[in-house]
Amino acid sequence: MWQLDSSGNLSSSGPTVTCIEQAKGSSKFNALWNDPVTSGRHTWAVTYTSGAPGLWVGVTTPAKFDAGWKCKSMSFGGNTSDGGALITADFGPRPAPGDVLHITLDLSPERLELAFAINGRGLGPAFSIPAPFPEPWCPLVSFSDGPAEAALAKLPEPLDAAAMAAAPAAPPPAGSPEGTWKLSSDGRATVEVVAEG
């Protein structure tokens, strides 16, 4: 049920979509999973099976789906984006081959909320839009380079808010100093150590 953009650089077989060749310059190749939703909570898992770095996942509407940078979406690929412009830098780790990404879309009469997780670690809500908002919504996979491959599956039960909430950062390694970072007048960063780890 993949709907591929008009680039000619994508192919699909069942739940798997493949970016065939390496990109030339700044390109983006988009595939929409054509199973639209208009209400309720939904989670899709995208397995980044192989390929070059540069996978983005998210949602779009069929009306906003297009080739390249003309496709408008709410997506995550390390940063969050509207499909063409940066929304939040360093929202989470950049996806790499072998990663499993979860997209959870919650559509209520009052609000649209979209959250992401990577390898079981929730990143928290990335987008929150009050009604009215366009619909229907479909999951989207975008590649910025190839060859690469990803597979999508809809979970029978959506992940709950706790599973998608931003997980706390990993604790510092044992033996690391604890303290407060300060920027000196000459631009050097220093740490005032309050305890040795």
Side-chain angles (χ1 to χ4, degrees):
M1 280 204 278
W2 285 109
Q3 179 179 335
L4 308 178
D5 70 16
S6 59
S7 67
N9 198 32
L10 296 173
S11 66
S12 66
S13 176
T16 301
V17 61
T18 302
C19 183
I20 300 165
E21 295 180 1
Q22 187 172 8
K24 296 172 177 62
S26 177
S27 299
K28 187 172 79 152
F29 309 105
N30 306 307
L32 174 145
W33 184 253
N34 202 354
D35 184 19
V37 296
T38 58
S39 63
R41 188 174 180 89
H42 309 270
T43 300
W44 298 270
V46 178
T47 303
Y48 193 177
T49 50
S50 65
L55 178 76
W56 291 74
V57 299
V59 296
T60 188
T61 64
K64 294 295 184 181
F65 179 72
D66 210 330
W69 301 107
K70 292 185 284 185
C71 182
K72 297 304 171 195
S73 65
M74 294 182 290
S75 53
F76 164 75
N79 302 327
T80 61
S81 169
D82 69 358
L86 174 72
I87 302 295
T88 305
D90 301 319
F91 186 76
R94 188 174 181 195
D99 287 345
V100 177
L101 299 103
H102 286 99
I103 308 162
T104 296
L105 178 65
D106 195 351
L107 298 166
S108 73
E110 297 79 30
R111 182 167 296 278
L112 173 157
E113 288 202 342
L114 180 64
F116 298 100
I118 184 165
N119 299 325
R121 178 180 166 235
L123 302 177
F127 296 88
S128 183
I129 301 170
F133 41 79
E135 54 182 42
W137 293 93
C138 298
L140 174 82
V141 170
S142 298
F143 299 93
S144 57
D145 208 352
E149 189 174 87
L152 182 138
K154 185 171 185 179
L155 301 191
E157 292 293 325
L159 295 178
D160 62 19
M164 297 302 290
S176 298
E178 296 180 23
T180 305
W181 287 97
K182 294 183 177 183
L183 192 62
S184 64
S185 59
D186 61 358
R188 291 182 298 147
T190 60
V191 64
E192 179 180 294
V193 177
V194 295
E196 290 290 344

